[in-house]
Amino acid sequence: MLNEVTSAPPSPPDARTLRVAFSRHLAATGLLEGATALVAACSGGSDSTALVVLLAAEARRSGLPLVAFHVDHQLRGVEGHRDARAAADLAASVGLSFVFRSFPVRDLRDPGESLESAARRVRYESLLALGRDLGAGTLLATGHTLDDQAETVLLNLERRLGRSRGGIRARRADGVVRPLLPFRRGELRAFLAAEGIPWREDASNLDERFARNRVRHGVLPALETRWPGATERLARAAEALTGRLDRLDARIEETLAAAGIPLEGPWPRALLADLGAEAAGRLLVRAAG
């Protein structure tokens, strides 16, 4: 049945192991450092459900205010209402405040924008708006996993990686954080099963008209069959590339600021020479948009 509440297969690992790993990850990275409040984006799916449950425990220990946030894109009728109800029930079960927003995404698409892209844009715009309402120091957590990182690598290759900002960042300048990036989707589902916590399955996640679903259900499994561990290696490569791009961007911005030159140029030949071939190439890519 479409969108049934689902549980993972039997024989999950010890749930406490993942809770400990999650706490250690936050402590080691300082990912939530400086936060005065947290918002956890919750679609009702397995990744965001695990995010809410794990962050709720961390928030109780630290005394950090945490809010669960759900957006209905008005695309799936009654199933969308059931997702919202499940997200609200989850928030209540772990003692969190719940914020709900609903938007007619079909009517909010920009010309030429896909429905998938419009839904993502509206979701992030509303998440950032809530963060502003809650005040400076609010961090906005999403449930992106190691699997999402690997998928993004492959999607970026198709979309010409040189024009991108790299992979998924653990923490963005606008306050969005991804606490689950080191974790696999399968281990999160096993954790939820061990805790007896259900989640919702969105049938659109199986629709291979969407590029990410083709990568998720076709390309990555094929790579794993041929080269076991390919998903983790792709994710680690994305992390390394993202760090390298960030360092190049910092060097570019520092050099341009010191020279009083905008990103768009014009750039003196001496400045490009000082940057070096790799940073100069990155500058040209960024300026090209």
Side-chain angles (χ1 to χ4, degrees), residues 234-270:
L234 282 168
R236 303 307 175 206
E239 184 179 357
L241 173 61
T242 300
R244 188 169 188 83
L245 290 178
D246 285 347
R247 289 189 292 275
L248 287 173
D249 287 343
R251 183 178 174 192
I252 288 167
E253 287 154 16
E254 180 180 343
T255 301
L256 292 177
I261 298 172
L263 178 66
E264 298 77 16
W267 314 296
R269 184 174 299 177

Side-chain angles (χ1 to χ4, degrees), residues 5-7 44-46 49 86 90 192-193 195-200:
V5 176
T6 307
S7 294
S46 59
T49 295
L90 173 66
L192 293 174
E195 297 280 284
I197 300 169
W199 66 86
R200 299 279 293 168

Side-chain angles (χ1 to χ4, degrees), residues 213-231:
N213 290 342
R214 292 195 296 273
V215 169
R216 179 174 298 176
H217 302 299
V219 178
L220 272 177
L223 288 175
E224 282 288 345
T225 298
R226 180 65 180 84
W227 296 288
T231 301

Side-chain angles (χ1 to χ4, degrees), residues 50-288:
L51 177 71
V52 168
V53 172
L54 291 166
L55 279 181
E58 293 296 319
R60 282 193 295 271
R61 280 193 288 271
S62 66
L64 195 62
L66 173 63
V67 174
F69 178 60
H70 180 84
V71 174
D72 179 4
H73 303 107
Q74 298 183 20
L75 296 175
R76 296 172 42 250
V78 67
E79 294 300 333
H81 297 312
R82 289 173 179 167
D83 289 346
R85 182 70 265 166
D89 289 345
L90 173 66
S93 73
V94 292
L96 301 184
S97 299
F98 180 70
V99 176
F100 170 77
R101 298 284 186 269
S102 181
F103 300 97
V105 167
R106 289 187 192 278
D107 300 331
L108 297 174
R109 276 190 293 180
D110 293 331
E113 186 178 29
S114 71
L115 199 57
E116 184 182 26
S117 295
R120 182 184 184 279
R121 175 178 56 78
V122 168
R123 190 163 60 247
Y124 272 93
E125 288 174 353
S126 57
L127 181 62
L128 292 168
L130 177 58
R132 289 191 295 271
D133 290 343
L134 293 175
T138 300
L139 293 182
L140 311 164
T142 67
H144 291 86
T145 66
L146 185 147
D147 297 80
D148 292 307
Q149 183 75 282
E151 292 161 11
T152 299
V153 173
L154 297 177
L155 289 167
N156 279 341
L157 288 172
E158 179 186 10
R159 297 165 183 165
R160 300 174 68 181
L161 182 59
R163 293 182 178 270
S164 81
R165 291 280 297 172
I168 301 172
R169 281 162 173 76
R171 183 165 175 169
R172 300 192 331 193
D174 58 8
V176 173
V177 294
R178 280 69 179 251
L180 298 181
L181 269 187
F183 301 96
R184 296 295 305 270
R185 183 173 295 118
E187 65 183 319
L188 295 175
R189 291 187 172 205
F191 161 74
L192 293 174
E195 297 280 284
I197 300 169
W199 66 86
R200 299 279 293 168
E201 288 287 5
D202 182 348
S204 69
N205 289 333
L206 300 175
D207 188 342
E208 296 200 3
R209 288 176 298 177
F210 300 122
R212 184 170 290 273
N213 290 342
R214 292 195 296 273
V215 169
R216 179 174 298 176
H217 302 299
V219 178
L220 272 177
L223 288 175
E224 282 288 345
T225 298
R226 180 65 180 84
W227 296 288
T231 301
E232 292 197 15
R233 288 195 291 274
L234 282 168
R236 303 307 175 206
E239 184 179 357
L241 173 61
T242 300
R244 188 169 188 83
L245 290 178
D246 285 347
R247 289 189 292 275
L248 287 173
D249 287 343
R251 183 178 174 192
I252 288 167
E253 287 154 16
E254 180 180 343
T255 301
L256 292 177
I261 298 172
L263 178 66
E264 298 77 16
W267 314 296
R269 184 174 299 177
L271 181 142
L272 295 176
D274 287 344
L275 281 174
E278 187 177 21
R282 175 66 176 167
L283 171 59
L284 293 172
V285 166
R286 287 187 58 188

